[in-house]
Amino acid sequence: MSHSKFQYFAGPLAALTLAAGTASAQDVTINLGYAASETSTYAVLADKFEELVEDYTDGSVDVKVRCCGQLMGEDEAFKAMQLGTVDMFVITGNNVSPHFPLMDAFVLPYIFQNKDHAYRVLEGEVGRDFAAQLQAATNVHLLTYGFVGDRDFYNSRSPITSVEDMDGLKVRVPKNQVMIDTYEEFGAAPIPLPWADTPTALQTGTVEGADNGTSFIKSQKFYEIMPYFTVLEHFSYFSPLFASDRVMSKLDETQRDAVMRAAAEAGIYHREEMAARIDDIRSFLTAEGGMETAEFDRSGFIEAGLRVQDRYAADKGDAFITLVEAIRAEAE
């Protein structure tokens, strides 16, 4: 993906920010939060964005990155940006769905055939239109989608060899209805829990399994408490960088352009850096990490996922159907 194509992606979003009003040139401090650890994928995006913004604005915009839930958790952050009490936050897409239900189209199981499909969707017209709709509906700016990863599955009961092995398994899920419904379709017993409660629930056996982006399983050291690992690739995820309208309106036109450029380029960096890491992380988890994996039949999972896709497309209304059809149309 060339930089020029990504700048085209950034352009319409940058144009949208101009509607926020032009502030006088001044030094601006931006607090950028995320809920995960400093070794997580969120840090890769946030730290690069901080570096580029400060470079491109000659220091007139100072980004202060706050990791580890210092500002708040993901479940609260989107609303806080709508209120203007938080400047920027990195939030995984499924945690945006309660605030903007159209996001659930991207949460649907097996919605992307592969990574090329995902990036064609997000970096093209579909992704630009989605960001514009989200901003119009919520007043929150989506600055970049960043890396698209997969949620890998882990559990403490048994190796997963087919969808039948999910039967009755107590699985932690985020508070996202698509994910809850997907695990029910798999035959599991989903238990919705906030991210902050998840490590304790896994350690105490309140839940027997969960899924996360591959890098989170390592950064949170879940391999120390969960013996079985499965590359289900059932949910794709991306964790966009969002900004409040309040902080965007503090920036003058030159600063806004620099922030949008930095976001686009940080997104490219995030994509390339994390893609290079994933294979190494999976190898670590099943070698030094000591997790056991098994050959498994994915067909039952895919069939269940397609049933969920079709059911949601039928129930969610015209805008949702249009988005799902647009995503599918970008598949090869």
Side-chain angles (χ1 to χ4, degrees):
M1 174 62 60
S2 69
H3 280 52
S4 62
K5 192 166 184 181
F6 234 103
Q7 287 162 354
Y8 174 57
F9 161 68
L13 298 188
L16 285 167
T17 68
L18 298 179
T22 302
S24 57
Q26 58 184 333
D27 288 349
V28 177
T29 298
I30 295 174
N31 284 294
L32 192 174
Y34 59 89
S37 75
E38 284 183 288
T39 58
S40 70
T41 177
Y42 290 175
V44 176
L45 177 60
D47 292 349
K48 177 57 71 171
F49 176 75
E50 175 189 19
E51 173 195 324
L52 293 175
V53 167
E54 292 174 1
D55 181 19
Y56 293 160
T57 64
D58 294 323
S60 75
V61 177
D62 179 21
V63 178
K64 296 189 181 298
V65 175
R66 311 291 189 186
C67 81
C68 318
Q70 290 175 39
L71 298 180
M72 62 184 56
E74 282 196 31
D75 293 332
E76 302 83 35
F78 195 89
K79 190 68 176 178
M81 283 187 286
Q82 289 182 286
L83 297 171
T85 55
V86 163
D87 296 334
M88 293 187 179
F89 220 89
V90 182
I91 307 177
T92 293
N94 55 265
N95 288 328
V96 175
S97 299
H99 312 281
F100 188 61
L102 208 55
M103 182 66 85
D104 270 342
F106 297 113
V107 182
L108 289 169
Y110 299 107
I111 191 63
F112 296 127
Q113 290 187 346
N114 51 43
K115 294 295 173 287
D116 287 343
H117 179 205
Y119 290 121
R120 274 199 306 278
V121 168
L122 298 177
E123 294 170 6
E125 185 178 353
V126 177
R128 290 191 293 274
D129 287 350
F130 179 84
Q133 289 181 68
L134 181 140
Q135 186 178 332
T138 68
N139 225 25
V140 173
H141 301 246
L142 194 163
L143 303 186
T144 184
Y145 289 98
F147 169 69
V148 177
D150 298 299
R151 294 179 76 94
D152 287 340
F153 186 77
Y154 50 91
N155 83 98
S156 60
R157 190 175 76 178
S158 65
I160 301 298
T161 60
S162 70
V163 74
E164 285 75 23
D165 292 325
M166 285 281 186
D167 188 42
L169 190 70
K170 292 185 292 183
V171 178
R172 177 267 170 178
V173 292
K175 293 182 177 180
N176 177 282
Q177 197 60 46
V178 172
M179 303 175 92
I180 293 167
D181 291 349
T182 298
Y183 273 105
E184 286 181 346
E185 197 71 34
F186 287 169
I191 299 175
L193 289 175
W195 170 249
D197 298 340
T198 299
T200 300
L202 290 166
Q203 286 177 310
T204 60
T206 303
V207 295
E208 301 167 292
D211 61 23
N212 285 110
T214 311
S215 63
F216 280 89
I217 301 172
K218 183 179 181 185
S219 65
Q220 297 295 139
K221 298 186 177 180
F222 288 150
Y223 57 87
E224 294 182 349
I225 56 173
M226 291 284 114
Y228 303 111
F229 175 75
T230 312
V231 182
L232 275 187
E233 298 183 332
H234 52 316
F235 295 129
S236 296
Y237 75 92
F238 47 84
S239 304
L241 173 59
F242 295 96
S244 72
D245 196 62
R246 180 172 179 270
V247 79
M248 295 302 288
S249 68
K250 289 181 179 180
L251 306 173
D252 66 28
E253 185 174 348
T254 301
Q255 289 170 326
R256 275 198 298 274
D257 287 347
V259 164
M260 297 306 297
R261 177 186 171 197
E265 293 182 12
I268 294 170
Y269 176 82
H270 190 224
R271 168 184 168 176
E272 294 173 350
E273 179 67 19
M274 291 310 302
R277 294 185 187 186
I278 293 304
D279 287 345
D280 288 343
I281 293 171
R282 284 174 172 164
S283 296
F284 168 86
L285 293 173
T286 55
E288 298 101 305
M291 299 181 87
E292 180 183 338
T293 192
E295 291 293 320
F296 71 100
D297 178 4
R298 188 179 271 111
S299 61
F301 291 101
I302 293 174
E303 289 166 8
L306 291 175
R307 289 195 297 271
V308 174
Q309 280 190 32
D310 291 340
R311 194 160 68 239
Y312 266 79
D315 291 347
K316 285 278 192 173
D318 290 345
F320 195 91
I321 291 170
T322 298
L323 180 54
V324 170
E325 288 176 348
I327 295 168
R328 287 174 169 176
E330 291 294 330
E332 292 180 337

